[in-house]
Amino acid sequence: MKKALKISGIVLSIIIIIAIIGAVYINSKGIPSYPVEKIEYKIYSTPSGIERGKKLAMMLCVNCHSDPKTGKLTGTQMLDAPTEFGKIFSANITQDKTYGIGDWTDAELMYLLRTGIKRDGKYAPPYMAKLPNMADEDIEAIIAFLRSDDPIVAADATEDFPTEPSLLTKFLCMVAFKPLPMPTQEIILPDTTDKIALGKYLSHNLECFSCHSSDFKTNNFLTPELSEGYFGGGNKPLNRKGEVMLTANLTPDMETGIGSWSEAKFIKALKYGIKEGEEALRYPMVPYPMLSDAEARAIYEYLKTIPPINNKVERSGME
Ligand code: HEC
Ligand code: HEC
């Protein structure tokens, strides 16, 4: 008996030592690096492209990169990132050459937005957006906007802070979160007269599916339809106080989804955050007033065509 205890004690000590060595190793290696493929990319900037890029950036980038202190995209601490991931700071992405992206090339920006690999080869962990399915033209528009004379991207030498990823983030970036492949072919915009195709494109590329499916961990970013509980809600993003804000079921299920919603009710909720007879929608669901009615309608039409999921989600903080 005594001997058995002694042996299991030794085994336990060995396991603990291996775990400590593993943790020290992961911690010192940090976020993994990848080879940076040299791609050719030079964007062609037009006033209408910049306008479209601004509209997309307002919906996709500004929430995270906007700094309340400067009112520009100089980066800030992301209080809505789960604390298990560490202390996360979004970067300064104004045109400043020291702290911002003033000396990044178009190709470097394109490569990061597609794959998640920064120009120094470091992988930008999952809390930074990736756009594997967005049309080339739309990503070019976003880059054109970042280079434009819009005041929120004008060079601003506000120092940004490096993210302090936790051991868990480093570990997950080694084993689970991997860069996405650089597309080998041009991705073209959907035909805007095909409402369903447009709605699908928008609901995937504006990341609606990412919050509104079951869980960030089981999302499929390359083929969003394969995400677990696709648009069935119940995912748990946080607000800026770190509280869970359950996401709504947007499938056409009559009882628990938006099956019984009129188009007008959906557009009001999406564009202005208004829900008749209820409290307005709250962060991280931000209103999308920049969507045209035709675009909002297209999303509604598309959601009507996806498989219904019966999943009742109570709104957070409403008891
Ligand atoms: C959910 C929050 C979030 C969203 C949305 C987001 N970013 Fe980021 N971004 C980050 C964080 C956090 C970092 C820092 C990543 C790191 O620590 O490696 C970052 C890094 C970057 C960098 C690298 C800057 C540098 O100096 O290393 C660029 C460029 C960038 N983001 C551009 C964008 C653009 C353009 C968009 C919109 C299409 C966008 N981001 C959307 C959070 C976000
Ligand atoms: C960052 C995560 C996030 C993103 C991205 C997001 N949503 Fe939401 N959405 C939420 C949350 C959380 C709620 C619930 C908010 C509340 O309870 O106040 C919500 C609520 C809604 C509602 C109200 C549904 C109901 O039953 O009350 C609609 C409609 C909606 N979202 C549509 C969209 C569409 C369309 C997109 C993409 C353009 C989108 N959302 C993107 C998190 C998100």
Side-chain angles (χ1 to χ4, degrees):
M1 184 61 196
K2 250 194 178 154
K3 202 171 169 196
L5 270 181
K6 205 168 165 190
I7 292 176
S8 57
I10 292 171
V11 171
L12 194 66
S13 311
I14 292 175
I15 292 173
I16 292 173
I17 291 168
I18 292 174
I20 292 173
I21 294 174
V24 169
Y25 171 75
I26 292 167
N27 214 20
S28 66
K29 266 203 90 182
I31 303 279
S33 285
Y34 294 88
V36 184
E37 221 178 291
K38 282 273 162 270
I39 56 165
E40 290 291 326
Y41 227 103
K42 191 88 192 87
I43 61 149
Y44 181 69
S45 178
T46 60
S48 65
I50 290 172
E51 202 182 305
R52 181 162 176 87
K54 176 163 188 175
K55 173 172 154 173
L56 289 165
M58 294 307 275
M59 295 189 279
L60 278 170
C61 322
V62 169
N63 263 335
C64 286
H65 283 278
S66 179
D67 178 354
K69 290 198 209 81
T70 60
K72 298 186 195 166
L73 303 189
T74 47
T76 186
Q77 184 177 358
M78 286 178 50
L79 298 171
D80 48 345
T83 47
E84 303 90 88
F85 282 168
K87 219 170 160 184
I88 315 296
F89 294 91
S90 61
N92 181 334
I93 57 168
T94 70
Q95 289 158 26
D96 186 69
K97 287 200 159 61
T98 308
Y99 298 110
I101 53 165
D103 63 353
W104 286 51
T105 65
D106 293 344
E108 286 166 347
L109 287 169
M110 176 60 101
Y111 197 68
L112 168 68
L113 292 172
R114 285 288 192 211
T115 66
I117 301 173
K118 293 190 274 189
R119 63 174 183 172
D120 61 2
K122 281 271 178 213
Y123 173 63
Y127 33 77
M128 158 65 192
K130 305 184 177 81
L131 312 171
N133 297 316
M134 186 175 270
D136 289 36
E137 200 176 321
D138 274 350
I139 298 199
E140 287 182 27
I142 292 174
I143 298 174
F145 166 68
L146 294 174
R147 305 256 192 252
S148 74
D149 56 10
D150 192 280
I152 68 168
V153 292
D156 183 311
T158 298
E159 183 176 0
D160 53 356
F161 298 96
T163 281
E164 298 161 24
S166 65
L167 184 64
L168 175 70
T169 303
K170 292 175 189 169
F171 176 69
L172 289 174
C173 288
M174 268 180 208
V175 299
F177 302 136
K178 297 283 175 191
L180 297 168
M182 186 68 199
T184 49
Q185 274 170 349
E186 188 187 357
I187 303 181
I188 53 168
L189 282 171
D191 173 359
T192 50
T193 59
D194 179 346
K195 273 203 205 164
I196 306 290
L198 176 64
K200 180 175 176 184
Y201 177 80
L202 292 170
S203 70
H204 289 178
N205 288 291
L206 297 178
E207 307 215 306
C208 317
F209 86 95
S210 149
C211 279
H212 282 276
S213 300
S214 294
D215 196 313
F216 292 115
K217 292 195 285 294
T218 48
N219 277 341
N220 187 322
F221 287 94
L222 284 176
T223 315
E225 302 95 302
L226 298 181
S227 300
E228 221 165 86
Y230 179 60
F231 274 116
N235 194 359
K236 303 185 182 68
L238 307 181
N239 64 18
R240 291 192 175 110
K241 288 191 213 142
E243 298 160 341
V244 167
M245 293 295 291
L246 289 174
T247 66
N249 181 341
L250 301 184
T251 69
D253 186 61
M254 288 307 272
E255 193 197 337
T256 62
I258 59 160
S260 64
W261 284 40
S262 69
E263 183 185 282
K265 178 174 172 177
F266 181 83
I267 295 180
K268 235 177 174 176
L270 174 58
K271 287 183 64 173
Y272 308 108
I274 297 171
K275 276 193 83 179
E276 222 66 62
E278 269 185 50
E279 200 178 311
L281 297 176
R282 298 146 306 161
Y283 188 89
M285 177 65 202
V286 289
Y288 290 81
M290 36 325 239
L291 286 175
S292 69
D293 280 357
E295 288 169 326
R297 206 173 294 133
I299 296 176
Y300 174 79
E301 293 288 339
Y302 172 64
L303 292 173
K304 287 279 191 177
T305 68
I306 67 174
I309 295 177
N310 191 278
N311 179 31
K312 181 148 184 59
V313 184
E314 299 287 352
R315 282 186 78 183
S316 296
M318 290 288 158
E319 354 9 79

